[in-house]
């Protein structure tokens, strides 16, 4: 057996912090098509979303540092333990992790960063009561207001996963380049 371990927001766009936009729907649709092409030798695991587990949904955009301040390291440990248990029990021959470019938790080679001292944590409960249109509008403002940056390096979960499971393969899905991301994954699955 081979195991494809996928960030849950790539399969179900509703986990995305602010709610789905067109690129999330497209990502989920194309990735599900590709998974449907897999042979019997592959199994798929969508792990629990660490951001949802920590804060719930919907939530404002936050950088890696703000999540860390809120206790994400502990949440990441729980998710990594879950994945580790599955790998230990099932003993897959091959493991491919798929993370999300720019995610503060599930970024593989790129993560979102912000200054945790200047972030307004009061936005977390306020965001819960906004309708989708308002959340989309406010998300853009929050990203600009708090100077979010995409930086090289893994998100909090993938940092832990890469440390624990160095023999696995790690791919980063870019929702702004779905076609290339799907093709890169297709090649990895066939190699």
């Amino acid at each position: 057996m081979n195991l494809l371990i996928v960030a849950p927001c790539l399969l179900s766009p509703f986990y995305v912090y602010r709610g789905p936009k067109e690129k999330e729907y497209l990502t989920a649709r194309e990735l599900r098509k590709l998974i449907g092409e897999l042979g019997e030798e592959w199994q798929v695991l969508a792990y629990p979303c660490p951001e949802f587990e920590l804060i719930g949904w919907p939530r404002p955009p936050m950088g890696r540092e703000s999540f860390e301040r809120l206790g994400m390291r502990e949440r990441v440990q729980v998710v990594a333990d879950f994945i580790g248990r599955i790998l230990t029990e099932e003993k897959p021959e091959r493991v491919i992790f798929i993370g999300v470019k720019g995610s503060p938790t599930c970024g593989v080679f790129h993560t979102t960063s912000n200054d945790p001292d200047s972030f307004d944590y009061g936005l977390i409960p306020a965001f819960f009561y906004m309708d989708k249109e308002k959340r989309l509008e406010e998300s853009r403002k929050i990203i600009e207001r708090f100077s979010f940056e995409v930086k090289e390096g893994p998100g909090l979960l993938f940092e832990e996963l890469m440390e624990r499971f160095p023999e696995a393969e790690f791919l980063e899905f870019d929702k702004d380049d779905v076609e290339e991301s799907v093709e890169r994954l297709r090649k990895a699955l066939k190699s």
Side-chain angles (χ1 to χ4, degrees):
M1 176 198 28
N2 299 318
L3 187 58
L4 181 63
I5 302 175
V6 184
C9 65
L10 293 174
L11 296 174
S12 177
F14 306 104
Y15 279 106
V16 175
Y17 66 92
R18 55 164 152 59
K21 295 193 321 192
E22 187 54 40
K23 68 181 180 179
E24 281 84 25
Y25 289 122
L26 177 61
T27 293
R29 186 170 51 247
E30 293 303 314
L31 192 52
R32 288 190 312 259
K33 276 189 221 172
L34 179 60
I35 287 171
E37 298 170 11
L38 294 177
E40 292 179 17
E41 72 275 11
W42 284 96
Q43 291 296 323
V44 178
L45 167 64
Y47 54 81
C49 174
E51 295 175 18
F52 178 85
E53 293 279 320
L54 182 69
I55 297 175
W57 185 89
R59 56 195 173 274
M62 284 189 277
R64 176 187 156 111
E65 298 83 358
S66 290
F67 273 117
E68 192 165 19
R69 181 163 291 173
L70 292 171
M72 183 59 81
R73 287 253 178 226
E74 292 79 16
R75 194 65 10 228
V76 159
Q77 297 289 325
V78 171
V79 173
D81 288 346
F82 166 65
I83 293 169
R85 177 83 182 249
I86 289 169
L87 296 179
T88 299
E89 291 179 357
E90 300 301 324
K91 298 175 182 51
E93 294 175 34
R94 188 170 174 209
V95 177
I96 298 178
F97 285 93
I98 306 173
V100 182
K101 183 177 184 178
S103 170
T105 53
C106 298
V108 182
F109 308 115
H110 301 88
T111 189
T112 298
S113 178
N114 76 307
D115 175 7
D117 293 326
S118 68
F119 187 76
D120 179 1
Y121 295 93
L123 292 167
I124 296 169
F127 223 71
F128 182 81
Y129 294 100
M130 294 178 197
D131 65 21
K132 184 175 181 179
E133 187 176 303
K134 181 73 171 166
R135 289 192 315 264
L136 293 173
E137 179 186 321
E138 288 301 310
S139 290
R140 284 187 293 277
K141 290 178 185 176
I142 291 167
I143 289 167
E144 290 172 15
R145 180 175 160 204
F146 296 106
S147 304
F148 284 68
E149 290 182 78
V150 174
K151 293 185 173 180
E152 286 189 15
L156 291 163
L157 175 60
F158 272 73
E159 180 178 73
E160 181 71 21
L161 295 173
M162 292 166 125
E163 186 177 304
R164 287 193 194 195
F165 314 112
E167 67 286 349
E169 299 169 60
F170 291 87
L171 297 175
E172 186 169 75
F173 200 99
D174 183 353
K175 292 179 186 178
D176 291 321
D177 193 354
V178 174
E179 188 176 309
E180 175 61 32
S181 294
V182 167
E183 193 52 40
R184 193 169 41 252
L185 177 57
R186 180 175 275 117
K187 286 178 185 174
L189 291 167
K190 290 182 179 180
S191 65

